[in-house]
């Protein structure tokens, strides 16, 4: 048997995507599965964006675009950053990539040497740890829990920093917890980084527009650390454009140039047609986007109300994104029909079989108490799914 490279042997499959695959397969076999595993808006991309893509094809945008993205798209991103975030960037500081995921991979591969430490508040989004390890870096997790609203403290951050720390990666609004850091909390974190001039701060802001507590706050607003902040954002979540595969990064010019060089060897550039559609997406405040946002807020409230009625679940109060991350540890040690639940993963598999609802175990995000429920699904599916979850959990004793 031919052997693969060590780096792929040690890489884990993305568990969010794996759960989505399993539920699709079970559905194809005729099982009635409700999938709340994948973080993907159930909406179709708004019409004005789809029209822009059709026009791009007819206008002949069929050749290789510049590696970092079309100049007018990068200008539109700078305009967006000024308009919505009051941050000044120039197009040579922007790199457009094949999804925010590739932006993160570019940034990490361009900055992390083998042995470098990258601090990641935990629970964290699945791919951070794997991308860090692909670069030879060492993820250093700062644990948080439901009692602290999944937020790290100044002291925890200071204690995690060593002479080897090279980067800090976090998302706010956070996947998987929905936690949103306030401006004051970000300021406290920024004050720690002020004292450590060799640390990059990768701020994953992909859920920027799905924020139920008001204005989005970026850690890039603090001038003292701004030159070391790498903003990652994209259109997958805010504009229901997951399949278009467009993300972007904003950073100091030398880092943007490095990402351009890296991407030039990997993908050449993101799709020309999707880039043209993205200009339309981010340049207009469309009514359809507001409808999607309102739906997420309504579903969050609906899901929280229903989950809080289930005995044994400890439910957090997400302030953004479209996930709830309840603590399920009260069910550990319980059993049904000979199946004993020891871990969140055991519980997810039990709920997949018994309730026919697919969720993602907290372990995928570095947590061993919780499970992730994505509420980016139709209201009636959410009601049905939580009803079934409730019935199945009641069987455990
Ligand atoms: N960051 C976070 C926190 C995410 O949840 C996702 C999920 N897709 C991504 C980045 C990657 O987004 P994209 O679809 O743009 O690659
Ligand atoms: N980010 C989404 C999630 O966490 C999509 C899956 C992925 O990109 O890993 O479910």
């Amino acid at each position: 048997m031919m052997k693969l490279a060590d780096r792929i042997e040690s890489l884990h499959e993305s568990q969010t995507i794996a759960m989505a695959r399993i539920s699709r397969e079970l559905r194809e076999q005729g099982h009635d599965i409700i999938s709340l595993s994948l973080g993907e808006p159930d909406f179709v991309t708004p019409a004005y964006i789809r029209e822009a893509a059709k026009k791009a094809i007819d206008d002949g945008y069929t050749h290789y675009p510049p590696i970092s993205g079309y100049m007018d798209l990068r200008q539109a991103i700078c305009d967006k950053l000024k308009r919505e975030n009051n941050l000044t960037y120039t197009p040579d500081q922007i790199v457009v990539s094949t999804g925010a995921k590739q932006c993160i991979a570019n940034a990490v591969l361009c900055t992390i040497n083998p042995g470098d430490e990258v601090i990641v508040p935990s629970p964290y989004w699945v791919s951070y740890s794997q991308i860090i390890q692909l670069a030879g870096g060492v993820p250093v997790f700062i644990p948080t829990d439901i009692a602290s609203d999944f937020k790290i403290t100044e002291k925890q951050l200071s204690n995690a920093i060593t002479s080897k720390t090279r980067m800090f990666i976090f998302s706010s609004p956070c996947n998987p917890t929905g936690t949103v850091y306030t401006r004051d909390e970000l300021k406290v974190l920024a004050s720690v980084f002020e004292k450590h001039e060799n640390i990059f701060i990768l701020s994953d802001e992909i859920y920027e527009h799905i924020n139920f507590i008001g204005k989005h706050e970026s850690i890039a607003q603090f001038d003292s650390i701004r030159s070391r902040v790498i903003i990652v954002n994209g259109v997958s979540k805010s504009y229901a454009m997951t399949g278009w595969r467009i993300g972007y990064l904003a950073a100091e010019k030398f880092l943007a140039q490095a990402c351009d060089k890296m991407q030039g060897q990997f993908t050449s550039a993101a799709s020309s047609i999707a880039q043209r559609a993205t200009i339309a997406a981010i340049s207009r405040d469309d009514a359809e986007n507001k409808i999607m946002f309102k739906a997420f807020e309504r579903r969050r409230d609906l899901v929280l109300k229903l989950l809080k009625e289930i005995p044994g679940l400890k439910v957090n109060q997400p302030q953004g994104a479209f996930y709830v991350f309840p603590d399920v540890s009260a069910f550990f040690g319980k059993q049904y029909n000979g199946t004993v639940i020891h871990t969140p993963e055991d519980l997810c598999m039990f709920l997949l079989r018994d309730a026919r609802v697919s969720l993602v175990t907290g372990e995928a995000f570095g947590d061993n108490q919780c499970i992730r429920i994505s509420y980016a699904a139709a209201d009636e599916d959410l009601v049905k799914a939580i009803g079934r979850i409730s019935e199945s959990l009641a069987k455990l004793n």
Side-chain angles (χ1 to χ4, degrees), residues 316-358:
N316 67 316
Q317 179 79 22
Q319 295 166 325
F322 34 61
Y323 310 103
V324 195
F325 202 60
D327 182 317
V328 294
S329 55
F331 297 96
F332 298 167
K334 297 194 171 183
Q335 63 84 40
Y336 174 64
N337 262 354
T339 304
V340 186
I341 308 297
H342 297 291
T343 63
E345 164 134 43
D346 292 345
L347 193 74
C348 278
M349 292 324 281
F350 167 70
L351 291 175
L352 181 62
R353 277 194 311 275
D354 198 81
R356 288 158 290 124
V357 177
S358 83

Side-chain angles (χ1 to χ4, degrees), residues 110-121:
C110 287
T111 54
I112 301 304
N113 276 322
D116 284 348
E117 292 178 358
V118 181
I119 298 177
V120 185

Side-chain angles (χ1 to χ4, degrees), residues 197-305:
E197 289 178 355
N198 294 322
I199 302 179
F200 287 107
I201 299 108
L202 193 153
S203 176
D204 182 345
E205 304 182 14
I206 188 109
Y207 295 98
E208 161 175 25
H209 290 129
I210 308 168
N211 172 336
F212 312 123
I213 58 165
K215 191 173 139 290
H216 175 69
E217 300 288 350
S218 172
I219 198 164
Q221 70 188 280
F222 303 107
D223 289 341
S224 56
I225 59 159
R226 165 81 187 277
S227 63
R228 293 182 276 128
V229 175
I230 304 163
I231 295 181
V232 169
N233 206 330
V235 290
S236 288
K237 315 290 169 170
S238 300
Y239 299 92
M241 289 176 72
T242 44
W244 300 69
R245 309 306 304 125
I246 296 286
Y248 60 85
L249 159 159
E252 282 293 279
K253 203 170 140 190
F254 78 98
L255 187 56
Q257 281 170 344
C259 292
D260 178 283
K261 190 163 139 191
M262 178 72 69
Q263 179 159 299
Q265 295 293 9
F266 271 120
T267 57
S268 300
S271 150
S272 57
I273 297 151
Q275 286 196 43
R276 302 313 298 171
T278 299
I279 299 179
I282 65 173
S283 304
R284 181 165 132 191
D285 200 11
D286 193 81
E288 270 187 76
N289 299 333
K290 295 222 167 62
I291 294 171
M292 292 193 285
F293 172 79
K294 282 278 150 221
F296 289 133
E297 193 170 31
R298 184 185 67 239
R299 291 166 180 178
R300 193 254 331 231
D301 294 343
L302 171 70
V303 164
L304 284 183
K305 180 180 151 292

